[in-house]
Amino acid sequence: MGNDTGNNTGNDSSFLSTDLVPDWLDDIDGSQALTWARTQSEATVAGVDSLADDTRDRTNLEQRILAALNTDARIAYPVRRGEYLYNFWRDAEHPRGLWRRTSLQSYLAGQEDPQATEWEVLIDLDALAKAEGETGSGRVRCAVIRSMTAR
């Protein structure tokens, strides 16, 4: 997928390029990838904690963030591939996510009322993980998203 530089922490403007993703991140259960993820998580927690005056502030912030992430009132930003528009959607009911598609006509019909857009679910990652016995690593999600977004 990428290279083995291993030192890129995503601090530059090109961090979204898969060329800069070290190969060791492909092994999501590997010790190097897990150590990197823990380090990133600890830095994020420290940053959030520095913004909060006390535990109550942090809990309030967490609740507000979760409410924003889990609302159905978000805009579904699709990517066009051929005649269909594809979207990866996560909400409270589907924490691992849905890979879905719709037609341009259906998407445009949902501009005023997003519920009017008729989405065809291609992969329900929560159902797939349950069927495969996955409990937390996200291995299924990572593999599916990489294969679905590859050009």
Side-chain angles (χ1 to χ4, degrees), residues 2-135:
N3 58 42
D4 275 320
T5 59
N7 296 327
N8 183 358
T9 59
N11 292 330
D12 64 2
S13 62
S14 62
F15 78 94
L16 292 176
S17 170
T18 57
D19 293 338
L20 298 177
V21 176
D23 288 334
W24 50 262
L25 275 178
D26 285 337
D27 180 14
I28 63 173
D29 291 322
S31 63
Q32 192 172 6
L34 291 172
T35 298
W36 179 86
R38 268 191 295 279
T39 301
Q40 298 302 310
S41 293
E42 290 166 2
T44 301
V45 168
V48 169
D49 285 345
S50 72
L51 299 174
D53 293 333
D54 60 27
T55 304
R56 194 177 43 226
D57 286 345
R58 178 162 184 209
T59 301
N60 184 338
L61 178 60
E62 286 175 353
Q63 290 171 346
R64 289 180 18 230
I65 290 170
L66 283 173
L69 291 173
N70 289 332
T71 183
D72 289 337
R74 293 172 291 145
I75 297 172
Y77 292 102
V79 174
R80 188 172 193 156
R81 298 279 190 257
E83 65 183 277
Y84 290 101
L85 302 176
Y86 293 84
N87 171 257
F88 181 72
W89 184 261
R90 291 176 61 189
D91 58 22
E93 188 179 338
H94 304 95
R96 290 179 183 249
L98 300 171
W99 186 256
R100 59 192 192 165
R101 72 179 182 180
T102 190
S103 67
L104 178 59
Q105 182 180 6
S106 176
Y107 183 77
L108 293 175
Q111 283 185 323
E112 295 298 319
D113 175 16
Q115 299 300 320
T117 301
E118 295 180 17
W119 291 99
E120 174 189 359
V121 175
L122 302 173
I123 299 175
D124 179 336
L125 295 176
D126 297 281
L128 181 60
K130 184 177 180 180
E132 303 253 331
E134 280 288 324
T135 56

Side-chain angles (χ1 to χ4, degrees), residues 127-146:
L128 181 60
K130 184 177 180 180
E132 303 253 331
E134 280 288 324
T135 56
S137 72
R139 184 181 303 124
V140 169
R141 180 175 57 230
C142 290
V144 170
I145 291 173
R146 281 189 186 130

